[in-house]
Amino acid sequence: TRSSKATLYRQWKGKPELVVRALRHVKPHAATWVDTGSLRGDLHAIAASTDDCEKEKSADLIGGLIHAVRDDPDLYEALRELMIEPGIEELNAVLRRAVERGEVAADSPALEFLPHMLVGGYVTRPLVEAECVTTAYLRRYLDAVVLPALGV
């Protein structure tokens, strides 16, 4: 940016916030625009909202962030405040619509685990299968794991 650290830190509290805001700018949440009329359609649309190359980069980024936040509590707090919590709230909005439509029971115990299941789909495939996450894989994962867990 050709700016000094002092100039940058006048706008952001510190390096963790600057990093997370940059990530948020590059990777805005997909759930804000999706409403296909069904939970399956919404989750499939979210899964297809980025191309497979972008998914591979996202999986690598998630892996790196998991490692980085263990050593940097300030980065974790910034990540939690600026990306994780807003992302969970956006997923919860998708789930609330599904509950209102009667697709998912309001008391389904799996509702609270949706973020875990979705992140798990990204993180585990490269580890278990040494394969990249793709839209086709995510759709199969959603249909075989996530939707049945929610009772859909």
Side-chain angles (χ1 to χ4, degrees):
T1 65
R2 297 181 186 181
S3 301
S4 69
K5 283 184 183 181
T7 301
L8 293 174
Y9 292 141
R10 276 195 297 263
Q11 186 163 353
W12 295 281
K13 294 178 210 170
K15 190 183 296 184
E17 183 182 338
L18 183 138
V19 168
V20 174
R21 289 213 184 263
L23 290 172
R24 177 73 183 198
H25 179 75
V26 172
K27 299 188 174 304
H29 293 289
T32 57
W33 56 266
V34 68
D35 188 358
T36 66
S38 74
L39 180 59
R40 182 178 187 272
D42 291 351
L43 294 177
H44 278 235
I46 292 168
S49 66
T50 58
D51 64 37
D52 290 345
C53 290
E54 191 63 32
K55 283 180 183 57
E56 183 176 358
K57 291 177 190 175
S58 292
D60 291 343
L61 180 62
I62 290 169
L65 285 171
I66 289 169
H67 178 72
V69 297
R70 282 188 267 164
D71 298 330
D72 190 338
D74 293 334
L75 178 60
Y76 173 75
E77 285 304 316
L79 188 68
R80 178 117 194 115
E81 177 185 335
L82 299 170
M83 287 191 77
I84 296 170
E85 289 176 1
I88 289 172
E89 182 50 41
E90 290 168 3
L91 282 173
N92 285 338
V94 171
L95 290 173
R96 278 192 297 275
R97 288 195 306 263
V99 168
E100 290 167 3
R101 288 189 299 258
E103 294 179 271
V104 178
D107 62 350
S108 171
L111 285 171
E112 72 175 291
F113 297 110
L114 181 64
H116 303 84
M117 290 186 282
L118 295 177
V119 170
Y122 268 92
V123 174
T124 58
R125 188 168 199 214
L127 289 172
V128 174
E129 300 175 26
E131 294 286 336
C132 298
V133 176
T134 64
T135 299
Y137 167 80
L138 284 177
R139 286 182 171 158
R140 288 193 324 272
Y141 179 77
L142 290 167
D143 289 344
V145 176
V146 175
L147 293 169
L150 292 169
V152 177

